[in-house]
C-alpha cells in the first residue's frame, strides 16, 4: 500500500469515531495508568503519610462519645470494669468511677494529682437512693425532693447502715451526694446499681471544665470521654450544703445555686448553723 492509500485509510477510521461537537478528542489511557501507579494521584509516600495522619486522629478521638442514652450501657460496663470515665453533669464535667472500686478511686486521685485527704462526692440515680448511703431520717419531709435533682451536693452522715464502701473517704463519717439534673449521668448511676464516685474533670487547683476541650490533656487517662457540649452553668460547680445536723444547714460552697438552695432550706424551717464532722 502506497503512502497516499495509507493516509486515506487513516482518515476514514478517524471519521468513523463518535465525537462531540466542539470537544477535541483526548486520550485518557496514559493518565489513568499514571494514577494507578501513584495511588489516587498521590505519590505512595504521601498517600501513606495521609493514612497515618488519619489513624492518629482516630486514635486520639476514638474514646470520645456523645453523651446520649445510646452510650449509657457502654459507660456502665466501663465502670464495672474498674475504669474511669469523663462525663457531663448539670454543672461541670467530671471524672466518674465505681465508688466500690478502690483501684478506680485511687486512679482518679492520681489523674487529678489530688491528695487523698480531699473527699470525693458520690452520685446516685434518684433521690430515693440517697437513704441507702446516708442518714436522712432527720430531714423534713420533701426537702431532698425540693433540692434534687439539681446543682446541689448534700452532705449527710454516712451512718452504720450505709452501703458505701469504707475505703471511700476513710476517716470521714459524712459524704457528699449528688443527683444531677442530667439524664445521661442518672442513667449511668441507675445502671451501675451502686454509688458512682464523682469529682470535677481537671487537675487539682486548675479551673473547672465546662467542655471536653478544657481537659483534653487528661483524655488519655479515661476509658471514654462523653461529650455533652458546652455546659451553660459557668464554672462555679454545685452548691455544697451540710445537712448532717437536725434542723440546721451550712453552706460549704456557694456554687451555682446558693440563693435557690437557701430559699428551699428556709422554706422547710432549717436555720443556718450546721457544722461538718
Amino acid at each position: 500500500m502506497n503512502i497516499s492509500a495509507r493516509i486515506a485509510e487513516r482518515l476514514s477510521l478517524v471519521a468513523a469515531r463518535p465525537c462531540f461537537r466542539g470537544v477535541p478528542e483526548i486520550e485518557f489511557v496514559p493518565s489513568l495508568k499514571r494514577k494507578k501507579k501513584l495511588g489516587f494521584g498521590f505519590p505512595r509516600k504521601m498517600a501513606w503519610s495521609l493514612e497515618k495522619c488519619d489513624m492518629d486522629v482516630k486514635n486520639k478521638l476514638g474514646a470520645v462519645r456523645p453523651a446520649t442514652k445510646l452510650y449509657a450501657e457502654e459507660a456502665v460496663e466501663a465502670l464495672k470494669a474498674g475504669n474511669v470515665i469523663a462525663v457531663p453533669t448539670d454543672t461541670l464535667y467530671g471524672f466518674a468511677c465505681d465508688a466500690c472500686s478502690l483501684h478506680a478511686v485511687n486512679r482518679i486521685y492520681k489523674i487529678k494529682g489530688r491528695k487523698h485527704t480531699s473527699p470525693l462526692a458520690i452520685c446516685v440515680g434518684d433521690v430515693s437512693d440517697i437513704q441507702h448511703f446516708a442518714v436522712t431520717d432527720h430531714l423534713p419531709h420533701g426537702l431532698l425532693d425540693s433540692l434534687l435533682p439539681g446543682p446541689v451536693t448534700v452532705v449527710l452522715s454516712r451512718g452504720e447502715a450505709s452501703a458505701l464502701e469504707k475505703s471511700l473517704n476513710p476517716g470521714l463519717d459524712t459524704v457528699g451526694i449528688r443527683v444531677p439534673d442530667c439524664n445521661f449521668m442518672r442513667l449511668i448511676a441507675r445502671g451501675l446499681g451502686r454509688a458512682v464516685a464523682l469529682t470535677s474533670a481537671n487537675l487539682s487547683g486548675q479551673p473547672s471544665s465546662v467542655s471536653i476541650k478544657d481537659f483534653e490533656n487528661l483524655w488519655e487517662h479515661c476509658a471514654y470521654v462523653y461529650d455533652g457540649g458546652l455546659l451553660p452553668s459557668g464554672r462555679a460547680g454545685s452548691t455544697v450544703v451540710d445537712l448532717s445536723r437536725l434542723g440546721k444547714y451550712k453552706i460549704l460552697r456557694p456554687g451555682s445555686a446558693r440563693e435557690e438552695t437557701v430559699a428551699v432550706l428556709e422554706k422547710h424551717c432549717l436555720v443556718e448553723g450546721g457544722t461538718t464532722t
Side-chain angles (χ1 to χ4, degrees):
M1 183 181 295
N2 58 34
I3 294 176
S4 298
R6 287 177 181 176
I7 293 174
E9 181 181 7
R10 179 72 174 174
L11 289 174
S12 65
L13 289 173
V14 171
R17 294 178 183 175
C19 62
F20 297 97
R21 181 176 297 177
V23 179
E25 194 174 48
I26 301 174
E27 178 61 74
F28 288 100
V29 174
S31 60
L32 285 172
K33 288 181 178 179
R34 189 177 300 112
K35 286 185 178 182
K36 183 177 181 181
K37 182 178 180 180
L38 297 179
F40 297 99
F42 295 110
R44 286 183 179 179
K45 185 175 181 180
M46 184 184 294
W48 180 85
S49 298
L50 290 173
E51 181 180 355
K52 183 177 184 297
C53 178
D54 184 56
M55 287 297 292
D56 289 342
V57 171
K58 287 180 180 178
N59 288 338
K60 186 175 182 181
L61 301 180
V64 177
R65 304 279 197 270
T68 62
K69 183 178 180 180
L70 183 64
Y71 292 96
E73 185 176 349
E74 173 191 76
V76 171
E77 292 305 313
L79 295 184
K80 288 180 177 179
N83 293 312
V84 173
I85 61 175
V87 293
T89 69
D90 51 354
T91 53
L92 305 170
Y93 277 87
F95 291 133
C97 74
D98 182 352
C100 294
S101 171
L102 181 59
H103 167 77
V105 168
N106 287 336
R107 182 163 175 77
I108 280 186
Y109 278 104
K110 185 176 181 179
I111 293 171
K112 287 178 64 69
R114 184 176 185 176
K115 295 180 180 179
H116 281 70
T117 51
S118 299
L120 297 180
I122 64 170
C123 170
V124 295
D126 296 283
V127 176
S128 58
D129 295 328
I130 295 176
Q131 62 184 326
H132 301 304
F133 302 98
V135 178
T136 61
D137 297 343
H138 64 294
L139 298 175
H141 178 73
L143 174 61
L144 292 178
D145 289 303
S146 297
L147 291 172
L148 304 167
V152 180
T153 300
V154 295
V155 177
L156 295 165
S157 297
R158 292 165 71 144
E160 293 299 323
S162 175
L164 203 58
E165 285 288 318
K166 301 288 187 184
S167 59
L168 183 73
N169 306 334
L172 292 180
D173 58 6
T174 58
V175 61
I177 305 179
R178 290 219 59 200
V179 185
D181 189 12
C182 172
N183 288 335
F184 183 70
M185 192 62 232
R186 294 178 69 190
L187 282 172
I188 293 173
R190 290 170 185 154
L192 182 63
R194 298 189 291 273
V196 177
L198 185 65
T199 186
S200 57
N202 61 310
L203 291 172
S204 287
Q206 296 299 310
S208 301
S209 300
V210 293
S211 77
I212 63 171
K213 282 288 185 181
D214 289 341
F215 61 98
E216 187 174 5
N217 59 319
L218 302 176
W219 289 3
E220 62 183 306
H221 302 294
C222 303
Y224 299 105
V225 175
Y226 293 98
D227 188 0
L230 180 65
L231 304 182
S233 63
R235 300 182 191 273
S238 64
T239 296
V240 182
V241 56
D242 182 359
L243 299 177
S244 61
R245 294 186 64 191
L246 178 65
K248 307 282 187 178
Y249 77 88
K250 184 175 182 179
I251 300 296
L252 303 181
R253 184 177 71 188
S256 58
R258 184 187 187 282
E259 292 183 6
E260 298 90 333
T261 300
V262 169
V264 171
L265 296 172
E266 293 183 349
K267 181 180 178 181
H268 285 81
C269 303
L270 270 68
V271 297
E272 189 170 10
T275 58
T276 55
T277 54

